[in-house]
Amino acid sequence: MKPALSSSRMFLLVLTLVALYLCYLVLRPYAAPILLAVIVAVVFYPLHRRIQQRFRSPNASALLSTAAALLVTVVPLVLLGFALSNELTGLYQSLSAKSAGQGGIVLYILHGVDQATAWIARHFPVPAVNLRAIAARRIEEASSGLVSLGAGLVGNLFVFLADGVIAFLVLFFLFRDGRSGLAYLSRLLPLSQERTAELWDRISSTLVANVYGGVAVGAVQGTLTAIAFWALGLGSPILWGLVTALFSFVPVVGSAAVWAPAGVALLFTGHFVKGIVLLAWGALVVGLADNLVRPWVISGRTSLPAVYVLLSLLGGVQAFGILGLFLGPVILSVTAALLEMLQEERENGETAVSS
């Protein structure tokens, strides 16, 4: 009887595992941009196929596909950033002009806090709280941390740009060599062609469904926020709707990064009814849209129950950050596919034994 595993094969196996671990250590700092490039490549692959049909050169088609992905994803964000910068500049100038008569923007904010305190005391039987002192202390703490925050933002900007360059470089090579690389990986897996194709199909369909779900959530939350801003008479509702749609992709904070500060600002400037309406609309309508729309869209395209999709989204964000929005459902979908394959293999084995 031959041994199950020869010494040479055992040595190669151990050496391969060590090499794979070392590769993991080398690539771990760039895991986020690499995974981002994989997601973008899967989403834009149908477009890349069309470009390949017109341009036979692999380099030319990959370069055009990468440029198309860059135009669709980055250029709108840059334009939106410029528009948001102009809007915030105008808002700051308006606030500074209103606060000039009260000794500056800090005193203007404290005056708004006094108004909010007086309004709450008149309408709600709550214990008296010195909101002015609390606000003054928080403003002092915030101002002392602005320098370190600015330095951190500059450092994060360089990291973001470096990760973006790496992501698009990887994206180019995925477009150019992705099919051959996928075929090589398929040959390494000890599975039949049908099983391997089913796994790749599960991964790609779940990634695409996640992107569609994110876009759907952004569209719904952005539209709801724009409607609220327009109904309450706030400035630039379309712009803030677009900003809300962008922030809907950010875990934990999400759309609240837009409507929550706006509602608090309305309260501090004496517009109490508008502030309460905006905060209630944001928490009860805009915020809950994510928990309803995203699982519904993803479950409809992956045949997974919506509650499982929701749990995979929440757990994925906790484990992997923003990329967990994509990785969580993929892990769940692939796990379900593997369990189904094991079940089929067991049934086939039982059928073979009984026959």
Coordinates of all heavy atoms in Angstrom, one line a residue, residues 164-236:
G164 N -5.4 54.9 -4.4 CA -6.1 55.1 -5.6 C -5.2 54.7 -6.8 O -5.7 54.0 -7.7
V165 N -4.0 55.1 -6.8 CA -3.0 54.8 -7.9 C -2.8 53.3 -8.0 O -2.8 52.7 -9.0 CB -1.7 55.6 -7.7 CG1 -0.7 55.1 -8.7 CG2 -1.9 57.1 -7.8
I166 N -2.6 52.7 -6.8 CA -2.4 51.2 -6.7 C -3.6 50.5 -7.3 O -3.6 49.5 -8.0 CB -2.1 50.8 -5.3 CG1 -0.7 51.3 -4.9 CG2 -2.1 49.3 -5.2 CD1 -0.4 51.1 -3.4
A167 N -4.8 51.0 -6.9 CA -6.1 50.3 -7.3 C -6.2 50.3 -8.8 O -6.6 49.3 -9.4 CB -7.3 51.0 -6.6
F168 N -5.9 51.5 -9.4 CA -6.1 51.6 -10.9 C -5.0 50.9 -11.6 O -5.2 50.4 -12.8 CB -6.3 53.0 -11.3 CG -7.6 53.6 -11.1 CD1 -7.9 54.3 -9.9 CD2 -8.7 53.3 -11.9 CE1 -9.2 54.8 -9.7 CE2 -10.0 53.8 -11.7 CZ -10.2 54.5 -10.6
L169 N -3.8 50.8 -11.1 CA -2.8 50.0 -11.7 C -3.2 48.5 -11.7 O -3.0 47.8 -12.7 CB -1.5 50.2 -11.0 CG -0.7 51.4 -11.3 CD1 0.5 51.5 -10.4 CD2 -0.3 51.5 -12.7
V170 N -3.7 48.0 -10.5 CA -4.1 46.6 -10.4 C -5.3 46.4 -11.3 O -5.4 45.3 -12.0 CB -4.5 46.3 -9.0 CG1 -5.1 44.9 -8.9 CG2 -3.3 46.4 -8.1
L171 N -6.2 47.4 -11.4 CA -7.4 47.3 -12.3 C -6.9 47.1 -13.8 O -7.5 46.3 -14.5 CB -8.2 48.5 -12.2 CG -9.5 48.6 -13.0 CD1 -10.4 47.4 -12.6 CD2 -10.2 49.9 -12.9
F172 N -5.9 47.8 -14.2 CA -5.4 47.7 -15.6 C -5.0 46.2 -15.8 O -5.4 45.6 -16.9 CB -4.3 48.6 -15.8 CG -3.5 48.4 -17.1 CD1 -4.0 48.8 -18.3 CD2 -2.3 47.7 -17.1 CE1 -3.4 48.6 -19.5 CE2 -1.7 47.4 -18.3 CZ -2.2 47.9 -19.5
F173 N -4.2 45.7 -14.9 CA -3.7 44.3 -15.1 C -4.8 43.3 -15.0 O -4.8 42.2 -15.6 CB -2.6 44.0 -14.2 CG -1.3 44.8 -14.5 CD1 -0.9 45.8 -13.7 CD2 -0.5 44.4 -15.6 CE1 0.3 46.5 -14.1 CE2 0.6 45.1 -15.9 CZ 1.0 46.2 -15.1
L174 N -5.8 43.6 -14.2 CA -7.0 42.7 -14.1 C -7.7 42.6 -15.4 O -8.2 41.6 -15.8 CB -7.9 43.1 -12.9 CG -7.4 42.8 -11.5 CD1 -8.4 43.4 -10.5 CD2 -7.2 41.3 -11.3
F175 N -7.9 43.8 -16.0 CA -8.6 43.8 -17.3 C -7.8 43.1 -18.4 O -8.3 42.4 -19.2 CB -8.8 45.3 -17.7 CG -10.0 45.9 -17.1 CD1 -10.0 47.2 -16.7 CD2 -11.2 45.2 -16.9 CE1 -11.1 47.8 -16.1 CE2 -12.3 45.8 -16.3 CZ -12.3 47.1 -15.9
R176 N -6.5 43.3 -18.3 CA -5.6 42.7 -19.4 C -5.4 41.2 -19.2 O -5.4 40.4 -20.1 CB -4.2 43.4 -19.4 CG -3.4 43.2 -20.6 CD -2.0 43.7 -20.5 NE -1.2 42.9 -19.5 CZ 0.1 43.2 -19.3 NH1 0.7 44.1 -20.0 NH2 0.7 42.5 -18.5
D177 N -5.1 40.8 -17.9 CA -4.7 39.4 -17.7 C -5.7 38.7 -16.8 O -5.4 37.6 -16.3 CB -3.3 39.4 -17.0 CG -2.3 40.1 -17.8 OD1 -2.3 40.0 -19.1 OD2 -1.5 40.8 -17.2
G178 N -6.9 39.3 -16.5 CA -7.8 38.7 -15.6 C -8.3 37.3 -16.0 O -8.4 36.4 -15.2
R179 N -8.6 37.1 -17.2 CA -9.2 35.8 -17.7 C -8.2 34.7 -17.6 O -8.5 33.6 -17.2 CB -9.7 36.0 -19.1 CG -10.9 36.9 -19.3 CD -11.5 36.8 -20.7 NE -12.0 35.5 -21.0 CZ -12.5 35.1 -22.1 NH1 -12.6 36.0 -23.1 NH2 -13.0 33.9 -22.3
S180 N -6.9 35.0 -18.0 CA -5.9 34.0 -17.9 C -5.6 33.6 -16.5 O -5.4 32.5 -16.1 CB -4.6 34.4 -18.6 OG -4.1 35.6 -18.1
G181 N -5.6 34.7 -15.6 CA -5.3 34.4 -14.2 C -6.4 33.6 -13.5 O -6.2 32.7 -12.7
L182 N -7.7 33.9 -13.9 CA -8.8 33.2 -13.4 C -8.8 31.7 -13.9 O -9.1 30.8 -13.1 CB -10.1 33.8 -13.8 CG -11.4 33.4 -13.1 CD1 -11.3 33.6 -11.6 CD2 -12.6 34.1 -13.7
A183 N -8.4 31.5 -15.1 CA -8.3 30.1 -15.6 C -7.2 29.4 -14.9 O -7.3 28.2 -14.6 CB -8.0 30.2 -17.1
Y184 N -6.1 30.0 -14.6 CA -5.0 29.4 -13.8 C -5.5 29.0 -12.4 O -5.2 27.9 -12.0 CB -3.8 30.3 -13.8 CG -2.6 29.8 -12.9 CD1 -1.8 28.8 -13.4 CD2 -2.4 30.3 -11.6 CE1 -0.8 28.3 -12.6 CE2 -1.3 29.8 -10.9 CZ -0.6 28.8 -11.4 OH 0.5 28.3 -10.6
L185 N -6.2 29.9 -11.7 CA -6.7 29.6 -10.4 C -7.7 28.4 -10.5 O -7.7 27.6 -9.6 CB -7.3 30.8 -9.8 CG -6.4 31.9 -9.4 CD1 -7.2 33.1 -8.8 CD2 -5.4 31.4 -8.3
S186 N -8.5 28.4 -11.5 CA -9.5 27.3 -11.7 C -8.8 26.0 -11.8 O -9.3 25.0 -11.3 CB -10.4 27.6 -12.9 OG -11.1 28.8 -12.8
R187 N -7.6 25.9 -12.5 CA -6.9 24.7 -12.7 C -6.3 24.2 -11.4 O -6.1 23.0 -11.2 CB -5.8 24.8 -13.8 CG -6.4 25.0 -15.2 CD -5.3 24.8 -16.2 NE -4.2 25.7 -16.0 CZ -4.2 26.9 -16.7 NH1 -5.2 27.2 -17.5 NH2 -3.2 27.7 -16.5
L188 N -6.0 25.1 -10.5 CA -5.4 24.8 -9.2 C -6.4 24.2 -8.2 O -6.1 23.4 -7.4 CB -4.7 26.0 -8.6 CG -3.5 26.5 -9.2 CD1 -3.0 27.8 -8.5 CD2 -2.4 25.5 -9.3
L189 N -7.7 24.5 -8.4 CA -8.7 24.1 -7.5 C -9.0 22.6 -7.8 O -9.2 22.2 -9.0 CB -10.0 24.9 -7.6 CG -9.8 26.4 -7.2 CD1 -11.1 27.1 -7.4 CD2 -9.4 26.5 -5.7
P190 N -9.1 21.8 -6.8 CA -9.5 20.3 -7.0 C -11.0 20.1 -7.2 O -11.6 19.3 -6.5 CB -9.0 19.7 -5.7 CG -9.1 20.7 -4.7 CD -8.8 22.0 -5.4
L191 N -11.6 20.9 -8.1 CA -13.0 20.8 -8.4 C -13.2 20.6 -9.9 O -12.4 21.0 -10.7 CB -13.7 22.1 -7.9 CG -13.7 22.4 -6.4 CD1 -14.3 23.8 -6.1 CD2 -14.4 21.3 -5.6
S192 N -14.4 20.2 -10.2 CA -14.7 20.0 -11.6 C -15.0 21.4 -12.2 O -15.1 22.4 -11.5 CB -16.0 19.2 -11.8 OG -17.1 19.8 -11.2
Q193 N -15.0 21.5 -13.5 CA -15.2 22.8 -14.2 C -16.6 23.4 -13.8 O -16.7 24.6 -13.7 CB -15.1 22.6 -15.7 CG -13.7 22.3 -16.2 CD -13.6 22.2 -17.7 OE1 -14.7 22.3 -18.4 NE2 -12.4 22.0 -18.2
E194 N -17.6 22.5 -13.7 CA -18.9 23.0 -13.3 C -18.9 23.6 -11.9 O -19.5 24.7 -11.7 CB -19.9 21.9 -13.4 CG -20.2 21.3 -14.8 CD -19.1 20.4 -15.3 OE1 -18.2 20.0 -14.4 OE2 -19.1 20.1 -16.5
R195 N -18.3 22.9 -11.0 CA -18.2 23.5 -9.6 C -17.4 24.8 -9.6 O -17.8 25.8 -8.9 CB -17.5 22.5 -8.7 CG -18.2 21.1 -8.5 CD -19.6 21.3 -7.9 NE -20.1 20.0 -7.4 CZ -21.3 19.8 -7.1 NH1 -22.2 20.8 -7.2 NH2 -21.8 18.6 -6.7
T196 N -16.3 24.8 -10.3 CA -15.5 26.1 -10.3 C -16.3 27.2 -10.9 O -16.3 28.3 -10.4 CB -14.2 25.8 -11.0 OG1 -13.5 24.7 -10.5 CG2 -13.3 27.0 -11.0
A197 N -16.9 26.9 -12.0 CA -17.7 28.0 -12.7 C -18.8 28.5 -11.8 O -19.1 29.7 -11.7 CB -18.3 27.5 -14.0
E198 N -19.4 27.6 -11.0 CA -20.5 28.0 -10.1 C -20.0 28.9 -9.0 O -20.6 29.9 -8.6 CB -21.1 26.7 -9.5 CG -22.3 27.0 -8.5 CD -22.9 25.8 -8.0 OE1 -22.5 24.7 -8.4 OE2 -23.8 25.9 -7.0
L199 N -18.8 28.6 -8.5 CA -18.2 29.5 -7.4 C -17.9 30.8 -8.0 O -18.2 31.9 -7.4 CB -16.9 28.8 -6.9 CG -17.0 27.7 -5.9 CD1 -15.7 27.2 -5.5 CD2 -17.7 28.3 -4.6
W200 N -17.2 30.9 -9.2 CA -16.9 32.2 -9.7 C -18.2 33.0 -10.0 O -18.3 34.2 -9.9 CB -16.1 32.1 -11.0 CG -14.7 31.5 -10.8 CD1 -14.2 30.6 -11.7 CD2 -13.8 31.7 -9.8 NE1 -12.9 30.2 -11.2 CE2 -12.7 30.9 -10.1 CE3 -13.8 32.5 -8.7 CZ2 -11.5 30.9 -9.3 CZ3 -12.6 32.5 -7.8 CH2 -11.6 31.7 -8.1
D201 N -19.3 32.3 -10.5 CA -20.5 33.0 -10.8 C -21.2 33.5 -9.5 O -21.7 34.6 -9.5 CB -21.5 32.0 -11.5 CG -22.8 32.6 -11.8 OD1 -22.8 33.5 -12.7 OD2 -23.8 32.3 -11.2
R202 N -21.1 32.7 -8.4 CA -21.6 33.2 -7.1 C -20.9 34.5 -6.7 O -21.5 35.5 -6.2 CB -21.5 32.2 -6.1 CG -22.5 31.0 -6.1 CD -23.9 31.5 -5.8 NE -24.8 30.4 -5.7 CZ -25.3 29.9 -4.5 NH1 -24.9 30.5 -3.4 NH2 -26.1 28.9 -4.5
I203 N -19.6 34.5 -6.8 CA -18.8 35.6 -6.3 C -19.1 36.9 -7.2 O -19.4 38.0 -6.7 CB -17.3 35.3 -6.4 CG1 -16.9 34.2 -5.4 CG2 -16.4 36.6 -6.1 CD1 -15.5 33.7 -5.5
S204 N -19.1 36.7 -8.5 CA -19.3 37.9 -9.4 C -20.7 38.4 -9.2 O -21.0 39.6 -9.2 CB -19.0 37.5 -10.8 OG -19.9 36.5 -11.3
S205 N -21.7 37.5 -9.2 CA -23.1 38.0 -9.1 C -23.4 38.7 -7.7 O -24.1 39.7 -7.7 CB -24.1 36.8 -9.2 OG -23.9 35.8 -8.2
T206 N -22.7 38.2 -6.7 CA -22.9 38.8 -5.4 C -22.3 40.2 -5.3 O -22.8 41.2 -4.8 CB -22.4 37.9 -4.3 OG1 -22.9 36.6 -4.3 CG2 -22.7 38.5 -2.9
L207 N -21.1 40.3 -5.9 CA -20.4 41.6 -6.0 C -21.2 42.6 -6.8 O -21.4 43.8 -6.3 CB -19.0 41.5 -6.6 CG -17.9 40.9 -5.7 CD1 -16.6 40.7 -6.5 CD2 -17.7 41.8 -4.5
V208 N -21.7 42.2 -7.9 CA -22.5 43.1 -8.7 C -23.8 43.5 -8.0 O -24.3 44.7 -8.0 CB -22.9 42.4 -10.1 CG1 -23.9 43.3 -10.9 CG2 -21.6 42.3 -10.9
A209 N -24.4 42.5 -7.3 CA -25.7 42.8 -6.6 C -25.4 43.8 -5.4 O -26.2 44.7 -5.2 CB -26.2 41.5 -6.0
N210 N -24.2 43.7 -4.8 CA -23.8 44.7 -3.7 C -23.7 46.1 -4.3 O -24.1 47.0 -3.7 CB -22.5 44.2 -3.1 CG -22.8 43.3 -1.9 OD1 -23.0 43.8 -0.8 ND2 -22.8 42.0 -2.1
V211 N -23.1 46.2 -5.5 CA -22.9 47.5 -6.1 C -24.3 48.1 -6.4 O -24.6 49.2 -6.2 CB -22.0 47.4 -7.3 CG1 -22.0 48.7 -8.1 CG2 -20.6 47.0 -6.9
Y212 N -25.1 47.2 -7.0 CA -26.5 47.7 -7.3 C -27.2 48.1 -6.1 O -28.0 49.1 -6.1 CB -27.3 46.6 -8.1 CG -26.8 46.4 -9.5 CD1 -27.3 45.3 -10.2 CD2 -26.0 47.3 -10.1 CE1 -26.9 45.1 -11.6 CE2 -25.6 47.1 -11.4 CZ -26.1 46.0 -12.1 OH -25.7 45.8 -13.5
G213 N -27.1 47.3 -5.0 CA -27.7 47.7 -3.7 C -27.2 49.0 -3.2 O -28.0 49.8 -2.7
G214 N -25.9 49.2 -3.2 CA -25.3 50.5 -2.8 C -25.8 51.7 -3.6 O -26.2 52.7 -3.0
V215 N -25.9 51.5 -4.9 CA -26.4 52.6 -5.8 C -27.9 52.9 -5.5 O -28.3 54.0 -5.4 CB -26.2 52.2 -7.2 CG1 -26.9 53.2 -8.1 CG2 -24.7 52.2 -7.6
A216 N -28.6 51.8 -5.3 CA -30.1 52.0 -5.0 C -30.3 52.7 -3.6 O -31.1 53.6 -3.5 CB -30.8 50.6 -4.9
V217 N -29.5 52.3 -2.6 CA -29.6 53.0 -1.3 C -29.2 54.5 -1.5 O -29.8 55.4 -0.9 CB -28.7 52.3 -0.3 CG1 -28.6 53.1 1.0 CG2 -29.3 50.9 0.1
G218 N -28.1 54.7 -2.2 CA -27.7 56.1 -2.4 C -28.7 56.9 -3.1 O -29.0 58.1 -2.7
A219 N -29.3 56.4 -4.1 CA -30.4 57.1 -4.9 C -31.6 57.4 -4.0 O -32.1 58.5 -4.0 CB -30.8 56.3 -6.1
V220 N -32.0 56.4 -3.2 CA -33.2 56.6 -2.3 C -32.9 57.6 -1.2 O -33.7 58.5 -1.0 CB -33.6 55.2 -1.7 CG1 -34.7 55.4 -0.6 CG2 -34.2 54.3 -2.8
Q221 N -31.8 57.4 -0.5 CA -31.4 58.3 0.6 C -31.2 59.7 0.1 O -31.5 60.7 0.7 CB -30.3 57.8 1.4 CG -30.6 56.5 2.2 CD -29.5 56.2 3.1 OE1 -28.3 56.4 2.9 NE2 -29.8 55.5 4.2
G222 N -30.5 59.8 -1.0 CA -30.2 61.2 -1.6 C -31.5 61.9 -2.0 O -31.7 63.1 -1.8
T223 N -32.4 61.1 -2.6 CA -33.7 61.7 -3.0 C -34.5 62.1 -1.8 O -35.1 63.2 -1.8 CB -34.5 60.7 -3.9 OG1 -33.7 60.3 -5.0 CG2 -35.8 61.3 -4.3
L224 N -34.6 61.3 -0.8 CA -35.3 61.6 0.4 C -34.8 62.9 1.1 O -35.5 63.7 1.6 CB -35.4 60.4 1.4 CG -36.2 59.2 0.9 CD1 -36.0 58.1 1.9 CD2 -37.6 59.6 0.8
T225 N -33.4 62.9 1.2 CA -32.8 64.1 1.8 C -33.0 65.4 1.0 O -33.3 66.4 1.6 CB -31.3 63.9 2.0 OG1 -31.1 62.7 2.7 CG2 -30.6 65.0 2.7
A226 N -32.9 65.3 -0.3 CA -33.2 66.4 -1.2 C -34.6 66.9 -1.0 O -34.9 68.1 -1.0 CB -32.9 66.1 -2.6
I227 N -35.6 66.0 -0.9 CA -37.0 66.4 -0.7 C -37.1 67.1 0.6 O -37.9 68.1 0.7 CB -37.9 65.1 -0.8 CG1 -37.9 64.6 -2.2 CG2 -39.3 65.4 -0.3 CD1 -38.7 63.2 -2.3
A228 N -36.5 66.6 1.6 CA -36.6 67.3 2.9 C -36.0 68.7 2.9 O -36.6 69.6 3.4 CB -35.9 66.4 4.0
F229 N -34.8 68.8 2.3 CA -34.2 70.1 2.2 C -35.1 71.1 1.4 O -35.2 72.3 1.8 CB -32.8 70.0 1.6 CG -31.7 69.7 2.6 CD1 -31.8 68.6 3.4 CD2 -30.6 70.5 2.6 CE1 -30.8 68.3 4.3 CE2 -29.6 70.2 3.5 CZ -29.7 69.1 4.4
W230 N -35.6 70.6 0.3 CA -36.5 71.5 -0.5 C -37.8 71.9 0.3 O -38.2 73.0 0.2 CB -36.9 70.7 -1.8 CG -37.9 71.5 -2.6 CD1 -37.7 72.5 -3.4 CD2 -39.3 71.1 -2.7 NE1 -38.9 72.9 -4.0 CE2 -39.9 72.1 -3.5 CE3 -40.1 70.2 -2.1 CZ2 -41.3 72.1 -3.8 CZ3 -41.5 70.1 -2.3 CH2 -42.0 71.1 -3.2
A231 N -38.4 70.9 0.9 CA -39.6 71.2 1.7 C -39.4 72.2 2.8 O -40.3 73.0 3.1 CB -40.3 69.9 2.2
L232 N -38.2 72.1 3.4 CA -37.9 73.0 4.6 C -37.3 74.3 4.2 O -37.0 75.1 5.0 CB -37.0 72.3 5.6 CG -37.6 71.0 6.2 CD1 -36.5 70.3 7.1 CD2 -38.8 71.4 7.1
G233 N -37.2 74.5 2.9 CA -36.6 75.8 2.4 C -35.1 75.9 2.6 O -34.6 77.1 2.6
L234 N -34.4 74.8 2.7 CA -32.9 74.9 2.8 C -32.3 75.0 1.5 O -32.8 74.6 0.5 CB -32.4 73.7 3.6 CG -33.1 73.4 4.9 CD1 -32.5 72.2 5.6 CD2 -32.9 74.6 5.9
G235 N -31.0 75.6 1.5 CA -30.4 75.8 0.2 C -29.8 74.6 -0.4 O -29.4 73.6 0.2
S236 N -29.7 74.6 -1.8 CA -29.0 73.6 -2.6 C -29.5 72.2 -2.3 O -28.7 71.3 -1.9 CB -27.5 73.7 -2.4 OG -27.0 75.0 -2.7

